Amino acid sequence: MTDYNRIIRECFWDLNITGEDIQNFLSGSDLRAKTFLFEKILTNSTKLLLDLQLFNKGVLKKIMENYEIKQFNRDYLFRRKNIAEAFFFNKPLEIDELKWQI
């Protein structure tokens, strides 16, 4: 069961968003709304990988491929996005301190 209250508290503290709004973002066809939800989760969620599982995998891949990391919080967002790409799509992990040492 998805904890929409936690997602709202962590990711939408600055907006008046409901669990139903999040469900509508996810089930709707508006890619901008889905991208908005993705950005909020990427930036603020304490359970990033769990929350990104709410997305359809094909939609998530499209959003991540087109997502441009903004200059603000660049290193932080790069790391979180790279972890998600490695987890969901087996992309190379580019964070040296998280790589396996042989």
Side-chain angles (χ1 to χ4, degrees):
M1 181 162 167
T2 303
D3 186 358
Y4 289 116
N5 289 329
R6 180 191 51 76
I7 294 171
I8 292 166
R9 187 175 58 254
E10 292 176 358
C11 302
F12 296 100
W13 52 269
D14 57 341
L15 298 170
N16 188 17
I17 298 286
T18 66
E20 187 175 325
D21 293 329
I22 294 171
Q23 289 175 339
N24 290 337
F25 291 158
L26 292 166
S27 64
S29 60
D30 186 353
L31 191 58
R32 288 185 321 185
K34 291 175 195 281
T35 301
F36 170 71
L37 177 60
F38 168 80
E39 288 176 342
K40 289 299 229 175
I41 289 172
L42 182 70
T43 304
N44 300 301
S45 175
T46 58
K47 298 185 178 186
L48 174 66
L49 300 177
L50 178 67
D51 293 343
L52 289 179
Q53 289 179 27
L54 294 171
F55 289 87
N56 168 287
K57 199 163 182 179
V59 171
L60 181 61
K61 182 173 180 137
K62 183 174 185 175
I63 291 171
M64 290 181 84
E65 287 175 348
N66 294 319
Y67 180 69
E68 292 184 30
I69 299 173
K70 314 240 179 344
Q71 198 58 35
F72 179 73
N73 280 342
R74 182 170 185 3
D75 292 339
Y76 172 77
L77 293 174
F78 171 81
R79 292 170 63 91
R80 289 174 63 91
K81 180 178 179 258
N82 185 235
I83 289 168
E85 289 172 325
F87 181 81
F88 288 105
F89 306 112
N90 294 321
K91 296 221 174 174
L93 194 56
E94 299 177 26
I95 305 165
D96 288 336
E97 58 268 24
L98 296 181
K99 292 180 182 177
W100 286 100
Q101 299 296 322
I102 300 176

